[in-house]
Amino acid sequence: MGETITGNEPLFSADAEIHVTAAPLDVYAVVSDLPRSGDWSPECRGGSWISGDPCAVGAVFRGENVRAAEVVAWAPVVRGAWTTYAEVVAAEPGRTFRWAMHDSAGRRQESVWGFDLAPGTDGGTLLVHHFRMDAPTEGIRGITAAMDPVERRRFFVEWGEKIADDLTATLQRIRTAVETPGG
């Protein structure tokens, strides 16, 4: 993870994986239910589908988010509650589910979150949660606009660590939700 230097590398790229003792289609039903993401995301508190068929390519999700004050506390990131919009860009039941963040004008940005699923050796699922940002989003541009190169580098390192931690925490919570009866 880090700031793009060559132009060939993504600005951010992170993934984490976990084994879940449920079939890929069952896990997919959970991870593609974005309104339920408040059950496992460190920041997203859920939300609603606002257009398109829920969970289908082209559907748009309005996410309700909350970020604590201590997250990269020195940087001018959004704190407290805020709303995001994301468009489903891949939806293959049992295999992959991905969404791209929109900017304030409703355009897709090069900021994609997602899950990939593969059958596990014991009938379970290998679940991979990933994030990739190829170019700075509207938000990242605003956060880093007044930073000098040293601050910008520091921000990208610390923000990358935050993303990696969030991916891992999300997967652990999803596994608990899937593997717990009534979860």
Side-chain angles (χ1 to χ4, degrees):
M1 257 177 272
E3 189 171 1
T4 300
I5 296 171
T6 65
N8 297 327
E9 298 292 320
L11 193 59
F12 291 104
S13 179
D15 61 69
E17 64 182 52
I18 200 165
H19 182 267
V20 181
T21 57
L25 282 173
D26 295 333
V27 176
Y28 181 89
V30 172
V31 300
S32 63
D33 187 0
L34 291 182
R36 191 174 167 203
S37 59
D39 291 348
W40 47 77
S41 173
E43 287 190 351
C44 184
R45 297 298 170 240
S48 58
W49 295 104
I50 61 167
S51 69
D53 292 330
C55 309
V57 171
V60 176
F61 177 76
R62 175 188 161 117
E64 303 299 331
N65 308 284
V66 175
R67 184 174 298 129
E70 66 272 6
V71 175
V72 190
W74 63 272
V77 300
V78 173
R79 307 208 186 275
W82 83 99
T83 301
T84 56
Y85 293 87
E87 179 179 339
V88 177
V89 295
E92 298 174 40
R95 297 193 60 214
T96 190
F97 186 75
R98 299 175 186 201
W99 60 98
M101 303 311 296
H102 280 184
D103 66 13
S104 60
R107 294 180 300 253
R108 266 194 271 166
Q109 300 182 93
E110 293 182 43
S111 175
V112 179
W113 297 84
F115 294 98
D116 290 329
L117 306 91
T121 56
D122 63 351
T125 300
L126 175 63
L127 178 62
V128 179
H129 190 16
H130 49 83
F131 171 70
R132 182 178 173 113
M133 182 184 294
D134 288 327
T137 60
E138 183 176 55
I140 292 294
R141 286 191 308 271
I143 291 166
T144 61
M147 291 181 181
D148 65 36
V150 171
E151 290 171 320
R152 194 173 297 117
R153 232 179 332 278
R154 177 181 173 203
F155 171 75
F156 282 103
V157 167
E158 291 181 27
W159 198 252
E161 291 168 353
K162 175 239 184 294
I163 290 169
D165 290 347
D166 285 358
L167 294 176
T168 298
T170 296
L171 287 178
Q172 292 168 344
R173 294 170 183 171
I174 289 170
R175 180 172 61 190
T176 298
V178 170
E179 294 179 352
T180 303

